[in-house]
Amino acid sequence: MKKLAIFGSVIVLFCLLIWGYFYFNSEPSNVAEEAANSTKTVDVLEENDILVFTPRKSDAGISVILYPGAFVDALSYAPLANKLASSGYKTYIAEMPLNLAVFGKNRAADIIDEAPDEKFVIGGHSLGGVMSSRFAHENESEIEGVFFLASYPDKKGSLKNASFPALSITGTKDDVLNKDAYDKNKKYLPKDTTFVSIEGGNHAQFGSYGAQHGDGKATISEAEQTDQVSNALIAWLNTSVKNQER
């Protein structure tokens, strides 16, 4: 009977995942599709289920690994990745099984192993941020910093003793992010954490995939939010990450 109960629970969980995938799964916008095209300053390619945005003219010495939010296609973050790469930061967006980072926490290991000469920061949007912090917690020596887009570390991904810096970016119109959990879990952030609040920004506009169920209405455009997020990330990379002593 116990085995049957476990089997039944697995079937229910599987069905819920499939339902969630088709009900909540978001498609990249046309803007995201366009941002995934190579330009005069950025080369874009897909290899081993990873989108890679490589600067053509310069290399800032730090590469970025980004984990997508739950049920969000990796391509949806192409506008942000393109801006980072245009500023010299090679950016990898990891595609996730069923578009859920909980099933791909260690995708960063594949990227790092294939690029031994690169230094990395890692982060993600929503669930992607949680799972990226768990990877960083288990692989601190491989990471130069962690960033959170409408996200936070949990106990399993505690970074409170980490020697590297962190960046936390939120939007004032975000109704998806659990504010109580966000505040409660600040204790798991490194001492060197920079906080940025985007006035008028919501949850979905950290990517480019349209409206999200339960989200607040943004009072700034998606393009403006992408600009502010990329500017905050670049400023953090240029200062906190590059100037740290480890």
Side-chain angles (χ1 to χ4, degrees):
M1 291 294 291
K2 186 175 181 180
K3 289 183 178 180
L4 287 175
I6 293 174
F7 179 74
S9 298
V10 170
I11 293 297
V12 170
L13 177 60
F14 177 76
C15 290
L16 286 172
L17 286 172
I18 295 299
W19 172 81
Y21 178 81
F22 286 104
Y23 184 80
F24 292 107
N25 199 52
S26 301
E27 294 295 326
S29 69
N30 291 334
V31 172
E33 296 277 359
E34 292 174 5
N37 294 323
S38 295
T39 66
K40 291 182 179 180
T41 59
V42 178
D43 283 322
V44 184
L45 60 85
E46 181 179 6
E47 55 184 6
N48 300 322
D49 295 325
I50 297 168
L51 294 172
V52 186
F53 294 72
T54 304
R56 285 189 177 183
K57 295 184 178 180
S58 65
D59 187 342
I62 299 288
S63 298
V64 178
I65 299 173
L66 193 156
Y67 281 9
F71 299 117
V72 181
D73 190 286
L75 188 60
S76 301
Y77 301 93
L80 175 58
N82 199 306
K83 287 184 176 294
L84 295 175
S86 294
S87 293
Y89 292 97
K90 187 175 183 180
T91 302
Y92 301 81
I93 310 175
E95 298 178 10
M96 297 294 174
L98 292 177
N99 286 341
L100 286 169
V102 70
F103 296 127
K105 180 193 74 176
N106 292 320
R107 289 304 317 278
D110 300 328
I111 298 170
I112 294 171
D113 288 346
E114 289 296 320
D117 295 330
E118 296 178 32
K119 294 183 178 180
F120 292 92
V121 298
I122 188 172
H125 177 215
S126 200
L127 177 64
V130 177
M131 302 316 296
S132 68
S133 71
R134 292 188 184 183
F135 178 86
H137 172 81
E138 297 172 4
N139 301 273
E140 184 175 336
S141 64
E142 304 287 343
I143 299 299
E144 303 295 320
V146 178
F147 62 93
F148 298 90
L149 309 180
S151 186
Y152 50 83
D154 61 3
K155 186 176 182 179
K156 290 183 178 179
S158 175
L159 303 174
K160 63 182 179 181
N161 296 319
S163 60
F164 50 67
L167 172 66
S168 174
I169 308 179
T170 55
T172 61
K173 297 298 183 180
D174 186 344
D175 287 344
V176 175
L177 176 66
N178 185 321
K179 303 300 196 305
D180 290 337
Y182 174 81
D183 289 335
K184 179 181 178 181
N185 285 280
K186 282 182 178 178
K187 63 187 177 184
Y188 297 126
L189 288 166
K191 291 180 181 179
D192 182 4
T193 298
T194 302
F195 294 91
V196 174
S197 177
I198 297 179
E199 185 66 35
N202 68 0
H203 198 81
Q205 289 188 170
F206 279 98
S208 184
Y209 53 90
Q212 183 166 341
H213 179 73
D215 200 6
K217 185 176 181 180
T219 55
I220 60 174
S221 68
E222 180 185 290
E224 174 61 24
Q225 185 163 339
T226 301
D227 282 342
Q228 291 196 40
V229 172
S230 62
N231 289 341
L233 267 165
I234 291 165
W236 173 72
L237 288 163
N238 285 341
T239 55
S240 296
V241 175
K242 285 190 175 181
N243 295 336
Q244 67 178 311
E245 295 182 4
R246 295 185 64 190

